[in-house]
Amino acid sequence: ENDKVVAPVLLDVGRLVDLLAVLEHAIAAQVGADVEIIRQRTSASGIDASLKAQVQSLQSSFASLDDPIYLELMFAIQQNEQSYYSTRRYEYYDNVRIQVARLIGRVQVSSSADLEGSALTKNEIIAGLENYLDMFNQIVAIEQGIEVNTTIFKDATVSINQNIDRITAASQSGVERANEEIRNTGWISTLTLAIAATLALTLGAG
């Protein structure tokens, strides 16, 4: 009977140990890697700084043009970029890509007179916008990877908590059953003593 109580507890304990091992391995493997990725990304020569420099170059080029549409589109791109960072909503990520494509299309059909005053040539502007989008995509991919790792850790934690709850419930059930057996044993012992006493008295009287 006790084995029926203990066996499930031991099984859950084994599962818990396995989950802890998986979690420990995941943390050791990923946290260090994520920290290094973030360090490289935010360093002076990292992708964040490179993206910022690219934006400033494009803004400066568009600011010198007579038609404000170029600069307005560039500002719209930046606003959606920042909205994505703040919310992680993919509609803003899509908006960035759409606005970049729109601005590239606008530049492609622009005449030399339209771009007069720009420090960058038409091809340089297009290359700069493509480079910007490529770096933004890399940043999004980095953040998605970190988000996936965080989800794995959360799921493992939930599983561990569920196993702990089952172990706790099973342990309490086992304790209650053991106490019941003790009570039953005590009752049986008392009854046995009473019967023995009665028999002794009967035999003595005979």
Side-chain angles (χ1 to χ4, degrees), residues 34-63:
D34 289 345
V35 168
E36 178 60 21
I37 288 172
I38 292 172
R39 187 194 67 78
Q40 292 179 0
R41 172 185 162 183
T42 57
S43 67
S45 59
I47 192 169
D48 283 8
S50 297
L51 184 140
K52 183 177 180 180
Q54 183 66 80
V55 168
Q56 290 175 341
S57 174
L58 290 166
Q59 281 183 341
S60 176
S61 178
F62 294 141

PDB file of all heavy atoms in Angstrom, residues 34-63:
ATOM      1  N   ASP A  34      23.361  35.236 -24.905  1.00  0.00           N
ATOM      2  CA  ASP A  34      22.504  36.417 -25.056  1.00  0.00           C
ATOM      3  C   ASP A  34      23.196  37.674 -24.543  1.00  0.00           C
ATOM      4  O   ASP A  34      23.102  38.736 -25.159  1.00  0.00           O
ATOM      5  CB  ASP A  34      21.186  36.212 -24.300  1.00  0.00           C
ATOM      6  CG  ASP A  34      20.290  35.190 -24.981  1.00  0.00           C
ATOM      7  OD1 ASP A  34      20.550  34.868 -26.158  1.00  0.00           O
ATOM      8  OD2 ASP A  34      19.340  34.709 -24.331  1.00  0.00           O
ATOM      9  N   VAL A  35      23.876  37.543 -23.419  1.00  0.00           N
ATOM     10  CA  VAL A  35      24.587  38.692 -22.858  1.00  0.00           C
ATOM     11  C   VAL A  35      25.669  39.171 -23.827  1.00  0.00           C
ATOM     12  O   VAL A  35      25.849  40.374 -24.043  1.00  0.00           O
ATOM     13  CB  VAL A  35      25.206  38.330 -21.494  1.00  0.00           C
ATOM     14  CG1 VAL A  35      26.184  39.426 -21.040  1.00  0.00           C
ATOM     15  CG2 VAL A  35      24.121  38.143 -20.456  1.00  0.00           C
ATOM     16  N   GLU A  36      26.386  38.226 -24.438  1.00  0.00           N
ATOM     17  CA  GLU A  36      27.435  38.590 -25.386  1.00  0.00           C
ATOM     18  C   GLU A  36      26.846  39.257 -26.631  1.00  0.00           C
ATOM     19  O   GLU A  36      27.391  40.243 -27.154  1.00  0.00           O
ATOM     20  CB  GLU A  36      28.229  37.345 -25.797  1.00  0.00           C
ATOM     21  CG  GLU A  36      29.333  37.586 -26.815  1.00  0.00           C
ATOM     22  CD  GLU A  36      30.389  38.569 -26.341  1.00  0.00           C
ATOM     23  OE1 GLU A  36      30.516  38.780 -25.108  1.00  0.00           O
ATOM     24  OE2 GLU A  36      31.103  39.121 -27.192  1.00  0.00           O
ATOM     25  N   ILE A  37      25.714  38.748 -27.103  1.00  0.00           N
ATOM     26  CA  ILE A  37      25.047  39.342 -28.273  1.00  0.00           C
ATOM     27  C   ILE A  37      24.631  40.773 -27.976  1.00  0.00           C
ATOM     28  O   ILE A  37      24.824  41.685 -28.785  1.00  0.00           O
ATOM     29  CB  ILE A  37      23.826  38.496 -28.679  1.00  0.00           C
ATOM     30  CG1 ILE A  37      24.290  37.186 -29.310  1.00  0.00           C
ATOM     31  CG2 ILE A  37      22.941  39.264 -29.662  1.00  0.00           C
ATOM     32  CD1 ILE A  37      23.167  36.200 -29.568  1.00  0.00           C
ATOM     33  N   ILE A  38      24.046  40.972 -26.802  1.00  0.00           N
ATOM     34  CA  ILE A  38      23.606  42.321 -26.412  1.00  0.00           C
ATOM     35  C   ILE A  38      24.803  43.250 -26.259  1.00  0.00           C
ATOM     36  O   ILE A  38      24.758  44.415 -26.655  1.00  0.00           O
ATOM     37  CB  ILE A  38      22.798  42.248 -25.099  1.00  0.00           C
ATOM     38  CG1 ILE A  38      21.474  41.513 -25.346  1.00  0.00           C
ATOM     39  CG2 ILE A  38      22.511  43.655 -24.569  1.00  0.00           C
ATOM     40  CD1 ILE A  38      20.692  41.222 -24.093  1.00  0.00           C
ATOM     41  N   ARG A  39      25.894  42.726 -25.680  1.00  0.00           N
ATOM     42  CA  ARG A  39      27.105  43.548 -25.502  1.00  0.00           C
ATOM     43  C   ARG A  39      27.645  43.998 -26.844  1.00  0.00           C
ATOM     44  O   ARG A  39      27.988  45.174 -27.030  1.00  0.00           O
ATOM     45  CB  ARG A  39      28.169  42.748 -24.749  1.00  0.00           C
ATOM     46  CG  ARG A  39      29.408  43.569 -24.372  1.00  0.00           C
ATOM     47  CD  ARG A  39      30.553  42.682 -23.935  1.00  0.00           C
ATOM     48  NE  ARG A  39      31.063  41.871 -25.036  1.00  0.00           N
ATOM     49  CZ  ARG A  39      31.865  42.341 -25.987  1.00  0.00           C
ATOM     50  NH1 ARG A  39      32.238  43.616 -25.995  1.00  0.00           N
ATOM     51  NH2 ARG A  39      32.290  41.539 -26.947  1.00  0.00           N
ATOM     52  N   GLN A  40      27.713  43.077 -27.797  1.00  0.00           N
ATOM     53  CA  GLN A  40      28.212  43.424 -29.130  1.00  0.00           C
ATOM     54  C   GLN A  40      27.262  44.398 -29.830  1.00  0.00           C
ATOM     55  O   GLN A  40      27.701  45.332 -30.500  1.00  0.00           O
ATOM     56  CB  GLN A  40      28.374  42.153 -29.966  1.00  0.00           C
ATOM     57  CG  GLN A  40      29.478  41.238 -29.483  1.00  0.00           C
ATOM     58  CD  GLN A  40      29.603  39.984 -30.324  1.00  0.00           C
ATOM     59  OE1 GLN A  40      28.866  39.782 -31.282  1.00  0.00           O
ATOM     60  NE2 GLN A  40      30.524  39.111 -29.961  1.00  0.00           N
ATOM     61  N   ARG A  41      25.970  44.166 -29.667  1.00  0.00           N
ATOM     62  CA  ARG A  41      24.979  45.014 -30.327  1.00  0.00           C
ATOM     63  C   ARG A  41      25.060  46.454 -29.836  1.00  0.00           C
ATOM     64  O   ARG A  41      24.922  47.394 -30.630  1.00  0.00           O
ATOM     65  CB  ARG A  41      23.584  44.446 -30.071  1.00  0.00           C
ATOM     66  CG  ARG A  41      22.464  45.353 -30.542  1.00  0.00           C
ATOM     67  CD  ARG A  41      21.096  44.818 -30.163  1.00  0.00           C
ATOM     68  NE  ARG A  41      20.099  45.879 -30.228  1.00  0.00           N
ATOM     69  CZ  ARG A  41      18.830  45.742 -29.892  1.00  0.00           C
ATOM     70  NH1 ARG A  41      18.385  44.584 -29.461  1.00  0.00           N
ATOM     71  NH2 ARG A  41      18.005  46.766 -29.975  1.00  0.00           N
ATOM     72  N   THR A  42      25.255  46.647 -28.541  1.00  0.00           N
ATOM     73  CA  THR A  42      25.213  47.989 -27.946  1.00  0.00           C
ATOM     74  C   THR A  42      26.587  48.629 -27.805  1.00  0.00           C
ATOM     75  O   THR A  42      26.693  49.732 -27.265  1.00  0.00           O
ATOM     76  CB  THR A  42      24.543  47.926 -26.566  1.00  0.00           C
ATOM     77  OG1 THR A  42      25.260  46.997 -25.724  1.00  0.00           O
ATOM     78  CG2 THR A  42      23.093  47.457 -26.673  1.00  0.00           C
ATOM     79  N   SER A  43      27.634  47.966 -28.289  1.00  0.00           N
ATOM     80  CA  SER A  43      28.974  48.551 -28.198  1.00  0.00           C
ATOM     81  C   SER A  43      29.106  49.726 -29.166  1.00  0.00           C
ATOM     82  O   SER A  43      28.246  49.946 -30.027  1.00  0.00           O
ATOM     83  CB  SER A  43      30.037  47.494 -28.516  1.00  0.00           C
ATOM     84  OG  SER A  43      29.955  47.102 -29.880  1.00  0.00           O
ATOM     85  N   ALA A  44      30.190  50.453 -29.027  1.00  0.00           N
ATOM     86  CA  ALA A  44      30.402  51.645 -29.870  1.00  0.00           C
ATOM     87  C   ALA A  44      30.444  51.293 -31.348  1.00  0.00           C
ATOM     88  O   ALA A  44      30.083  52.109 -32.204  1.00  0.00           O
ATOM     89  CB  ALA A  44      31.692  52.345 -29.456  1.00  0.00           C
ATOM     90  N   SER A  45      30.882  50.082 -31.659  1.00  0.00           N
ATOM     91  CA  SER A  45      30.962  49.644 -33.058  1.00  0.00           C
ATOM     92  C   SER A  45      29.871  48.638 -33.391  1.00  0.00           C
ATOM     93  O   SER A  45      29.927  47.976 -34.432  1.00  0.00           O
ATOM     94  CB  SER A  45      32.338  49.007 -33.320  1.00  0.00           C
ATOM     95  OG  SER A  45      32.551  47.895 -32.455  1.00  0.00           O
ATOM     96  N   GLY A  46      28.874  48.525 -32.511  1.00  0.00           N
ATOM     97  CA  GLY A  46      27.814  47.541 -32.692  1.00  0.00           C
ATOM     98  C   GLY A  46      26.761  47.967 -33.694  1.00  0.00           C
ATOM     99  O   GLY A  46      26.778  49.085 -34.236  1.00  0.00           O
ATOM    100  N   ILE A  47      25.800  47.074 -33.883  1.00  0.00           N
ATOM    101  CA  ILE A  47      24.786  47.301 -34.909  1.00  0.00           C
ATOM    102  C   ILE A  47      23.860  48.463 -34.553  1.00  0.00           C
ATOM    103  O   ILE A  47      23.381  49.179 -35.434  1.00  0.00           O
ATOM    104  CB  ILE A  47      23.983  45.999 -35.161  1.00  0.00           C
ATOM    105  CG1 ILE A  47      23.145  46.140 -36.431  1.00  0.00           C
ATOM    106  CG2 ILE A  47      23.111  45.652 -33.962  1.00  0.00           C
ATOM    107  CD1 ILE A  47      22.539  44.831 -36.890  1.00  0.00           C
ATOM    108  N   ASP A  48      23.612  48.684 -33.270  1.00  0.00           N
ATOM    109  CA  ASP A  48      22.769  49.816 -32.877  1.00  0.00           C
ATOM    110  C   ASP A  48      23.399  51.139 -33.307  1.00  0.00           C
ATOM    111  O   ASP A  48      22.710  52.022 -33.856  1.00  0.00           O
ATOM    112  CB  ASP A  48      22.555  49.823 -31.361  1.00  0.00           C
ATOM    113  CG  ASP A  48      21.528  48.793 -30.911  1.00  0.00           C
ATOM    114  OD1 ASP A  48      21.102  47.982 -31.753  1.00  0.00           O
ATOM    115  OD2 ASP A  48      21.164  48.793 -29.727  1.00  0.00           O
ATOM    116  N   ALA A  49      24.694  51.263 -33.045  1.00  0.00           N
ATOM    117  CA  ALA A  49      25.401  52.499 -33.416  1.00  0.00           C
ATOM    118  C   ALA A  49      25.466  52.654 -34.931  1.00  0.00           C
ATOM    119  O   ALA A  49      25.322  53.767 -35.459  1.00  0.00           O
ATOM    120  CB  ALA A  49      26.805  52.491 -32.824  1.00  0.00           C
ATOM    121  N   SER A  50      25.667  51.540 -35.637  1.00  0.00           N
ATOM    122  CA  SER A  50      25.748  51.591 -37.097  1.00  0.00           C
ATOM    123  C   SER A  50      24.408  51.998 -37.695  1.00  0.00           C
ATOM    124  O   SER A  50      24.347  52.788 -38.649  1.00  0.00           O
ATOM    125  CB  SER A  50      26.170  50.226 -37.650  1.00  0.00           C
ATOM    126  OG  SER A  50      27.470  49.881 -37.200  1.00  0.00           O
ATOM    127  N   LEU A  51      23.320  51.456 -37.138  1.00  0.00           N
ATOM    128  CA  LEU A  51      21.988  51.818 -37.630  1.00  0.00           C
ATOM    129  C   LEU A  51      21.709  53.297 -37.394  1.00  0.00           C
ATOM    130  O   LEU A  51      21.176  53.989 -38.268  1.00  0.00           O
ATOM    131  CB  LEU A  51      20.924  50.941 -36.963  1.00  0.00           C
ATOM    132  CG  LEU A  51      19.489  51.132 -37.456  1.00  0.00           C
ATOM    133  CD1 LEU A  51      18.770  49.795 -37.559  1.00  0.00           C
ATOM    134  CD2 LEU A  51      18.700  52.057 -36.530  1.00  0.00           C
ATOM    135  N   LYS A  52      22.069  53.780 -36.211  1.00  0.00           N
ATOM    136  CA  LYS A  52      21.860  55.190 -35.886  1.00  0.00           C
ATOM    137  C   LYS A  52      22.646  56.097 -36.829  1.00  0.00           C
ATOM    138  O   LYS A  52      22.127  57.120 -37.317  1.00  0.00           O
ATOM    139  CB  LYS A  52      22.265  55.462 -34.440  1.00  0.00           C
ATOM    140  CG  LYS A  52      22.018  56.889 -33.986  1.00  0.00           C
ATOM    141  CD  LYS A  52      22.387  57.068 -32.524  1.00  0.00           C
ATOM    142  CE  LYS A  52      22.145  58.497 -32.062  1.00  0.00           C
ATOM    143  NZ  LYS A  52      22.501  58.682 -30.633  1.00  0.00           N
ATOM    144  N   ALA A  53      23.879  55.710 -37.117  1.00  0.00           N
ATOM    145  CA  ALA A  53      24.705  56.513 -38.025  1.00  0.00           C
ATOM    146  C   ALA A  53      24.117  56.523 -39.428  1.00  0.00           C
ATOM    147  O   ALA A  53      24.135  57.550 -40.122  1.00  0.00           O
ATOM    148  CB  ALA A  53      26.128  55.958 -38.051  1.00  0.00           C
ATOM    149  N   GLN A  54      23.577  55.383 -39.865  1.00  0.00           N
ATOM    150  CA  GLN A  54      22.965  55.306 -41.183  1.00  0.00           C
ATOM    151  C   GLN A  54      21.730  56.206 -41.274  1.00  0.00           C
ATOM    152  O   GLN A  54      21.515  56.902 -42.272  1.00  0.00           O
ATOM    153  CB  GLN A  54      22.570  53.860 -41.486  1.00  0.00           C
ATOM    154  CG  GLN A  54      21.994  53.649 -42.876  1.00  0.00           C
ATOM    155  CD  GLN A  54      23.013  53.887 -43.973  1.00  0.00           C
ATOM    156  OE1 GLN A  54      23.837  53.034 -44.262  1.00  0.00           O
ATOM    157  NE2 GLN A  54      22.965  55.063 -44.598  1.00  0.00           N
ATOM    158  N   VAL A  55      20.928  56.210 -40.220  1.00  0.00           N
ATOM    159  CA  VAL A  55      19.736  57.062 -40.175  1.00  0.00           C
ATOM    160  C   VAL A  55      20.131  58.534 -40.248  1.00  0.00           C
ATOM    161  O   VAL A  55      19.525  59.326 -40.991  1.00  0.00           O
ATOM    162  CB  VAL A  55      18.918  56.786 -38.895  1.00  0.00           C
ATOM    163  CG1 VAL A  55      17.853  57.872 -38.687  1.00  0.00           C
ATOM    164  CG2 VAL A  55      18.265  55.415 -38.972  1.00  0.00           C
ATOM    165  N   GLN A  56      21.141  58.913 -39.487  1.00  0.00           N
ATOM    166  CA  GLN A  56      21.581  60.313 -39.479  1.00  0.00           C
ATOM    167  C   GLN A  56      22.089  60.742 -40.853  1.00  0.00           C
ATOM    168  O   GLN A  56      21.834  61.874 -41.293  1.00  0.00           O
ATOM    169  CB  GLN A  56      22.671  60.500 -38.420  1.00  0.00           C
ATOM    170  CG  GLN A  56      22.155  60.399 -36.992  1.00  0.00           C
ATOM    171  CD  GLN A  56      23.272  60.457 -35.965  1.00  0.00           C
ATOM    172  OE1 GLN A  56      24.447  60.223 -36.274  1.00  0.00           O
ATOM    173  NE2 GLN A  56      22.910  60.750 -34.721  1.00  0.00           N
ATOM    174  N   SER A  57      22.792  59.842 -41.532  1.00  0.00           N
ATOM    175  CA  SER A  57      23.297  60.145 -42.870  1.00  0.00           C
ATOM    176  C   SER A  57      22.148  60.366 -43.847  1.00  0.00           C
ATOM    177  O   SER A  57      22.159  61.323 -44.644  1.00  0.00           O
ATOM    178  CB  SER A  57      24.188  59.005 -43.362  1.00  0.00           C
ATOM    179  OG  SER A  57      24.577  59.211 -44.710  1.00  0.00           O
ATOM    180  N   LEU A  58      21.130  59.512 -43.792  1.00  0.00           N
ATOM    181  CA  LEU A  58      19.988  59.642 -44.675  1.00  0.00           C
ATOM    182  C   LEU A  58      19.176  60.895 -44.351  1.00  0.00           C
ATOM    183  O   LEU A  58      18.743  61.616 -45.250  1.00  0.00           O
ATOM    184  CB  LEU A  58      19.103  58.394 -44.565  1.00  0.00           C
ATOM    185  CG  LEU A  58      19.711  57.110 -45.156  1.00  0.00           C
ATOM    186  CD1 LEU A  58      18.921  55.885 -44.700  1.00  0.00           C
ATOM    187  CD2 LEU A  58      19.734  57.187 -46.684  1.00  0.00           C
ATOM    188  N   GLN A  59      18.995  61.165 -43.074  1.00  0.00           N
ATOM    189  CA  GLN A  59      18.259  62.363 -42.672  1.00  0.00           C
ATOM    190  C   GLN A  59      18.954  63.623 -43.178  1.00  0.00           C
ATOM    191  O   GLN A  59      18.299  64.543 -43.681  1.00  0.00           O
ATOM    192  CB  GLN A  59      18.137  62.420 -41.150  1.00  0.00           C
ATOM    193  CG  GLN A  59      17.059  61.536 -40.571  1.00  0.00           C
ATOM    194  CD  GLN A  59      16.950  61.691 -39.066  1.00  0.00           C
ATOM    195  OE1 GLN A  59      17.872  62.179 -38.411  1.00  0.00           O
ATOM    196  NE2 GLN A  59      15.834  61.269 -38.510  1.00  0.00           N
ATOM    197  N   SER A  60      20.241  63.657 -42.999  1.00  0.00           N
ATOM    198  CA  SER A  60      21.009  64.829 -43.441  1.00  0.00           C
ATOM    199  C   SER A  60      20.880  65.025 -44.951  1.00  0.00           C
ATOM    200  O   SER A  60      20.742  66.153 -45.446  1.00  0.00           O
ATOM    201  CB  SER A  60      22.476  64.649 -43.058  1.00  0.00           C
ATOM    202  OG  SER A  60      23.262  65.713 -43.539  1.00  0.00           O
ATOM    203  N   SER A  61      20.897  63.906 -45.671  1.00  0.00           N
ATOM    204  CA  SER A  61      20.775  63.987 -47.128  1.00  0.00           C
ATOM    205  C   SER A  61      19.397  64.481 -47.545  1.00  0.00           C
ATOM    206  O   SER A  61      19.256  65.338 -48.437  1.00  0.00           O
ATOM    207  CB  SER A  61      21.043  62.600 -47.734  1.00  0.00           C
ATOM    208  OG  SER A  61      20.898  62.620 -49.137  1.00  0.00           O
ATOM    209  N   PHE A  62      18.348  63.989 -46.878  1.00  0.00           N
ATOM    210  CA  PHE A  62      16.979  64.367 -47.235  1.00  0.00           C
ATOM    211  C   PHE A  62      16.636  65.794 -46.776  1.00  0.00           C
ATOM    212  O   PHE A  62      15.806  66.463 -47.393  1.00  0.00           O
ATOM    213  CB  PHE A  62      15.982  63.377 -46.636  1.00  0.00           C
ATOM    214  CG  PHE A  62      16.068  61.988 -47.205  1.00  0.00           C
ATOM    215  CD1 PHE A  62      15.912  60.869 -46.395  1.00  0.00           C
ATOM    216  CD2 PHE A  62      16.314  61.802 -48.554  1.00  0.00           C
ATOM    217  CE1 PHE A  62      15.980  59.592 -46.924  1.00  0.00           C
ATOM    218  CE2 PHE A  62      16.391  60.517 -49.101  1.00  0.00           C
ATOM    219  CZ  PHE A  62      16.224  59.411 -48.281  1.00  0.00           C
ATOM    220  N   ALA A  63      17.264  66.217 -45.684  1.00  0.00           N
ATOM    221  CA  ALA A  63      16.954  67.549 -45.140  1.00  0.00           C
ATOM    222  C   ALA A  63      17.341  68.663 -46.100  1.00  0.00           C
ATOM    223  O   ALA A  63      16.780  69.774 -46.045  1.00  0.00           O
ATOM    224  CB  ALA A  63      17.672  67.739 -43.812  1.00  0.00           C
TER     225      ALA A  63
END
